[in-house]
Amino acid sequence: MALTCIIVDDEPLAVKLLESFVAKTPDLELLGSFTDSVEAINAIREQKPQLLFLDIQMPDLNGMELAHIVPADTRIIFTTAFKEYAYESYEVNALDFLLKPIRYNKFLTAVEKAREWHGRNQEDTPQDPASGRTPENQGPASLVSSQLSTLFIKVDGELRSISIDSIVYVSGMKDYVMFYLDGEHKPLITHLTMKAVEEMLPKEKFLRVHRSYIIAVDKIQKVDRNDCIYIGKEIIHVPDGYLSAFRTFMATRTFGNG
């Protein structure tokens, strides 16, 4: 069953780009596109899309205002050219925040978050609710020494050596993961699961903060009061299932009461 969506953006070119992304994404069904946010309201209420790609700066009714009146089961992914709206977007419980110009890999990651929210993809191994992390397993990946400084990942049929300390964060998308590295403009994409990556990386240096994200804890730039992590060029909202473990970790490195 496809994930249904609606696009609302007052820029026709932005709508066309998102429509092209939807068209080439498996199991994603477009119910309609609107350049007028007021006209979109009835369609959203009647069709109840599971996912709404929503611009923020629009005339008459802006995206933040519209976000307050959409059905509760419709998850919102904001699309905007202004990153200063990131904080406000999480106040209306947005699922993700895509900064224009939007890249297809970011779009796919956001869609995958929507699939997770609607319960489409369940991990084979249940989480330990007390820790927020996937239980350890005794496979070869779990035997990787924390003393190793490099890893080899297969990219385009070749083995690429990467320094563990160069990893900023890892993002998952079904059976593929993207390694974001210091000094690299594009991620390295390889066929792996997030579970395998979590077992592979040294746990004193990396923390899983979301089903789709593993971060290098020493690369965190800041954490805002909405539990949003700013790391690299990404803003990651820590969901409830991972919040306890993340806050426990932060408490061990936090000074001051402010």
Side-chain angles (χ1 to χ4, degrees):
M1 183 176 177
L3 192 69
T4 58
C5 67
I6 281 178
I7 297 167
V8 183
D9 195 311
D10 66 330
E11 299 176 9
L13 289 178
V15 170
K16 291 295 183 185
L17 177 65
L18 288 172
E19 286 177 341
S20 71
F21 285 173
V22 172
K24 64 182 180 180
T25 302
D27 297 324
L28 188 58
E29 178 187 350
L30 182 63
L31 300 179
S33 299
F34 298 86
T35 54
D36 187 315
S37 56
V38 176
E39 290 182 0
I41 293 174
N42 287 337
I44 294 169
R45 286 174 171 170
E46 290 173 5
Q47 300 186 63
K48 294 182 174 60
Q50 294 166 299
L51 184 58
L52 179 62
F53 294 99
L54 180 60
D55 189 18
I56 294 179
Q57 280 202 333
M58 292 184 291
D60 298 326
L61 184 71
N62 68 42
M64 289 298 174
E65 293 167 333
L66 180 56
H68 287 285
I69 58 177
V70 301
D73 289 338
T74 297
R75 307 310 300 164
I76 297 170
I77 295 176
F78 280 115
T79 60
T80 180
F82 303 96
K83 63 182 178 182
E84 56 265 29
Y85 287 115
Y87 172 78
E88 192 177 352
S89 72
Y90 288 113
E91 289 190 330
V92 295
N93 201 27
L95 188 66
D96 208 344
F97 181 92
L98 297 177
L99 192 62
K100 297 177 180 179
I102 299 169
R103 294 177 292 168
Y104 185 53
N105 67 310
K106 293 286 188 180
F107 175 89
L108 284 176
T109 300
V111 170
E112 187 61 21
K113 289 181 185 179
R115 295 190 199 283
E116 292 167 2
W117 178 266
H118 289 284
R120 289 180 173 271
N121 298 312
Q122 298 296 323
E123 289 185 305
D124 293 334
T125 306
Q127 265 190 9
D128 176 2
S131 68
R133 298 176 69 93
T134 303
E136 298 286 335
N137 112 3
Q138 299 303 313
S142 65
L143 303 178
V144 174
S145 169
S146 62
Q147 302 302 313
L148 290 180
S149 60
T150 59
L151 290 174
F152 289 90
I153 62 174
K154 184 172 287 188
V155 181
D156 296 330
E158 299 179 343
L159 289 176
R160 170 84 179 264
S161 173
I162 62 171
S163 166
I164 289 177
D165 289 337
S166 73
I167 300 172
V168 180
Y169 65 92
V170 182
S171 174
M173 183 176 61
K174 289 191 177 180
D175 292 331
Y176 289 86
V177 296
M178 294 173 283
F179 286 80
Y180 289 82
L181 310 176
D182 277 329
E184 297 277 352
H185 296 297
K186 295 182 179 180
L188 299 180
I189 303 175
T190 188
H191 190 274
L192 274 176
T193 64
M194 289 293 283
K195 180 175 179 289
V197 174
E198 185 178 16
E199 292 171 347
M200 185 185 306
L201 294 174
K203 292 179 173 48
E204 67 274 15
K205 294 183 177 181
F206 294 89
L207 184 67
R208 189 162 186 181
V209 296
H210 191 286
R211 288 188 66 187
S212 298
Y213 290 98
I214 298 171
I215 64 168
V217 294
D218 289 338
K219 302 293 176 69
I220 297 174
Q221 298 157 5
K222 70 173 181 177
V223 180
D224 69 21
R225 60 185 177 181
N226 280 336
D227 298 302
C228 295
I229 301 169
Y230 292 68
I231 186 168
K233 296 182 179 180
E234 187 68 280
I235 302 173
I236 303 168
H237 182 242
V238 184
D240 291 344
Y242 294 83
L243 201 50
S244 176
F246 177 66
R247 286 178 174 172
T248 299
F249 159 75
M250 290 302 297
T252 65
R253 298 196 178 193
T254 301
F255 294 88
N257 324 331

